[in-house]
Amino acid sequence: MKRDERLKSLKIIQRLFKEGKSFSHFPSRVVFLEIESQLSPLQAGFTVSTRHFKRAVDRNRIRRLMRESYRLQKNNLLNSLLIDHKTIAVFFIYTGKILPGYDEVFKNMGQSLQRLEKIVIQPDYKNKSV
């Protein structure tokens, strides 16, 4: 991911969790918020719970898998945002309790991104399951 696409601003992250909308797509939760940013139309952050994964090695592996699957599948959402001239910040939180494989993370990320695209691009979309 490019530097501009990473969600690093503490102000935006705090505002995201305070005012943002969210949905769950097991084993992850997605929190998003439309923002006014000049950097990139899509900024993303990733986290894994310390409660379920005590070892940093496991948390880092899951984050790496999430970032890579996001990087490979973000293009549809990015193109839709560019067409609609929207900018969003999104945070992916892994809430599962077992260490996942790449295929599971890739599939889950793809479905989460499709659902996020429908919610952001189509405001009348009512969080129906994808």
Side-chain angles (χ1 to χ4, degrees):
M1 284 177 27
K2 296 178 184 176
R3 175 179 239 168
D4 295 343
E5 295 177 351
R6 293 184 185 146
L7 184 57
K8 298 186 286 186
S9 169
L10 186 60
K11 288 181 181 179
I12 294 176
I13 293 172
Q14 288 174 342
R15 195 171 138 218
L16 177 68
F17 283 103
K18 187 176 180 182
E19 303 170 12
K21 298 176 184 175
S22 68
F23 64 88
S24 292
H25 189 274
F26 189 78
S28 64
R29 184 169 159 244
V30 179
V31 181
F32 63 96
L33 179 67
E34 194 166 337
I35 59 171
E36 300 79 34
S37 174
Q38 305 298 333
L39 297 176
S40 175
L42 181 59
Q43 291 185 329
F46 304 88
T47 189
V48 180
S49 172
T50 308
R51 179 184 297 173
H52 300 301
F53 297 97
K54 304 292 185 200
R55 295 178 10 187
V57 173
D58 295 335
R59 292 192 304 273
N60 292 339
R61 175 162 175 75
I62 296 170
R63 264 194 306 270
R64 254 193 330 270
L65 292 174
M66 290 171 65
R67 279 194 306 260
E68 179 64 12
S69 59
Y70 167 80
R71 183 186 69 82
L72 293 172
Q73 300 180 67
K74 70 179 177 182
N75 291 330
N76 289 339
L77 176 60
L78 186 59
N79 291 336
S80 298
L81 290 172
L82 287 171
I83 290 170
D84 285 358
H85 303 290
K86 291 186 177 182
T87 305
I88 65 168
V90 62
F91 218 88
F92 296 93
I93 305 166
Y94 186 80
T95 57
K97 295 181 181 179
I98 59 170
L99 192 64
Y102 177 72
D103 294 336
E104 181 183 344
V105 173
F106 188 83
K107 181 181 175 186
N108 182 41
M109 183 62 68
Q111 292 170 346
S112 296
L113 288 172
Q114 286 177 354
R115 187 168 175 187
L116 179 62
E117 182 178 1
K118 286 182 180 178
I119 293 170
V120 171
I121 302 304
Q122 302 170 359
D124 59 338
Y125 180 78
K126 300 288 185 199
N127 285 341
K128 295 177 184 173
S129 62
V130 175

